[in-house]
Amino acid sequence: MSIFRDSLFAGRVALITGGATGIGRGIAEALARHGADVALLSRKAENLAAASAEIESATGRRCLALPADIRNPEAVDAAVIRTIAELGRLDILVNNAAGNFPCASEDLSPNGFGAVVDIDAKGTWHATRSAFRAWMKEHGGRILNISATLHHGGTPGQVHVAAAKAAVDAMTRTLAVEWGPLGVQVNAIAPGPIGDTEGARRLFPGPVADRLRAQVPIRRLGAIEDIASLALFVLSQAGSNLNGAILVSDGGLSLSGRFSVEPEGGPGV
Ligand code: NAP
């Protein structure tokens, strides 16, 4: 049962990159449950088709599936234009698509580093630029970037992701100032480890998750629902004075000074 009004986003349209799985899927469904029509952009058409059918049947809202690689600016432009053509407008962009794999920095290839920067940082820019030019410059809008906390300190095995998410944070602050006067507000959520995602299950198998949980001041990992609820808050009228904010949702883990889990056999998060 949501604490937010069912019609909170009625009449609004949101595009969520990486919206077919994990946190993006949670945010997309939460927006649709509160009245928004949504569009999901990612690569795997079968995931998109399943997620969009499930969201439509669970919420009664429209959910457009947009197969595209966020690294391809022309494909992203086309997806944004299709969203506006089919759903009528574009009020909200959630930049959530990202890639991650742990790798000791000395073993990380230029391709591996570049792939993560291309998806997380350049992909965020491609979608942001398209949404601004096609709709938000004229009509205003809200952009929400899904960042992380691993670059707030130093996280072994994550140099590529840390560099990419630092770029996402820089875009958040820069565009908040540059586009705020045009009615476009740009904010970010920085989740800590979210226990019910595939990524967290992969990065923190069994006992590693237990050790990590013990390091969180509130003694639990985050959940997709935590991030989806915070996204609703930021994107709703309640967040209307937020611009350039990077909101950490990690139960206080990054403040505890103990944000380090070394799985056996290599560096971790
Ligand atoms: P996820 O389920 O793996 O979601 C990532 C999504 O991005 C997938 O749907 C994927 O779909 C899409 N994607 C990847 N590469 C793409 C590309 N080149 N073009 C278009 N779409 C692409 O991951 P998640 O755990 O929910 O993470 C979501 C966000 O939260 C990410 O920004 C992540 O950095 C952030 N985050 C997660 C955690 C956590 O604990 N899970 C913690 C901190 C921050 P396709 O593969 O089909 O393209």
Side-chain angles (χ1 to χ4, degrees), residues 262-267:
E262 299 276 339
E264 277 173 33

Side-chain angles (χ1 to χ4, degrees), residues 6-242:
D6 286 352
S7 60
L8 196 59
F9 293 94
R12 304 238 236 134
V13 170
L15 169 60
I16 300 96
T17 72
T21 63
I23 292 170
R25 161 74 191 267
I27 294 173
E29 187 162 334
L31 285 164
R33 281 190 188 282
H34 293 81
D37 286 332
V38 295
L40 317 178
L41 181 157
S42 56
R43 291 167 302 180
K44 297 188 190 91
E46 64 280 12
N47 285 354
L48 280 171
S52 118
E54 284 164 21
I55 289 175
E56 287 198 340
S57 102
T59 68
R61 303 309 315 173
R62 289 198 61 192
C63 182
L64 198 59
L66 302 166
D69 190 323
I70 198 88
R71 292 172 288 191
N72 177 341
E74 288 80 24
V76 174
D77 279 346
V80 165
I81 284 164
R82 207 181 132 204
T83 302
I84 296 166
E86 295 202 22
L87 301 181
R89 48 194 298 130
L90 180 55
D91 306 283
I92 293 166
L93 169 67
V94 181
N95 284 309
N96 164 85
N100 190 1
F101 55 93
C103 185
S105 298
E106 68 181 288
D107 298 328
L108 183 64
S109 70
N111 275 350
F113 187 95
V116 170
V117 169
D118 282 350
I119 297 168
D120 297 24
K122 288 171 77 176
T124 291
W125 172 240
H126 296 157
T128 299
R129 177 179 182 275
S130 292
F132 181 78
R133 288 161 68 105
W135 184 265
M136 293 184 181
K137 181 179 180 185
E138 194 176 337
H139 305 278
R142 300 282 191 96
I143 297 173
L144 177 62
N145 295 328
I146 306 303
S147 183
T149 57
L150 47 85
H151 56 299
H152 296 180
T155 305
Q158 293 280 280
V159 71
H160 43 333
V161 185
K165 293 297 193 182
V168 169
D169 288 358
M171 278 185 265
T172 304
R173 295 195 176 98
T174 302
L175 298 175
V177 173
E178 191 170 332
W179 292 348
L182 301 172
V184 179
Q185 290 173 231
V186 189
N187 292 294
I189 293 175
I194 301 303
D196 53 351
T197 60
E198 274 310 307
R201 278 193 276 270
R202 206 179 54 238
L203 284 171
F204 316 122
V208 182
D210 293 340
R211 275 161 44 214
L212 186 59
R213 205 172 287 110
Q215 293 174 12
V216 182
I218 63 171
R219 298 291 185 264
R220 71 170 180 89
L221 300 183
I224 290 172
E225 196 184 340
D226 291 318
I227 305 305
S229 298
L230 183 55
L232 294 187
F233 171 84
V234 173
L235 294 168
S236 74
Q237 214 185 335
S240 60
N241 195 38
L242 294 174

Side-chain angles (χ1 to χ4, degrees), residues 237-257:
Q237 214 185 335
S240 60
N241 195 38
L242 294 174
N243 192 29
I246 298 169
L247 300 169
V248 173
S249 176
D250 71 346
L253 177 60
S254 54
L255 295 176
S256 72

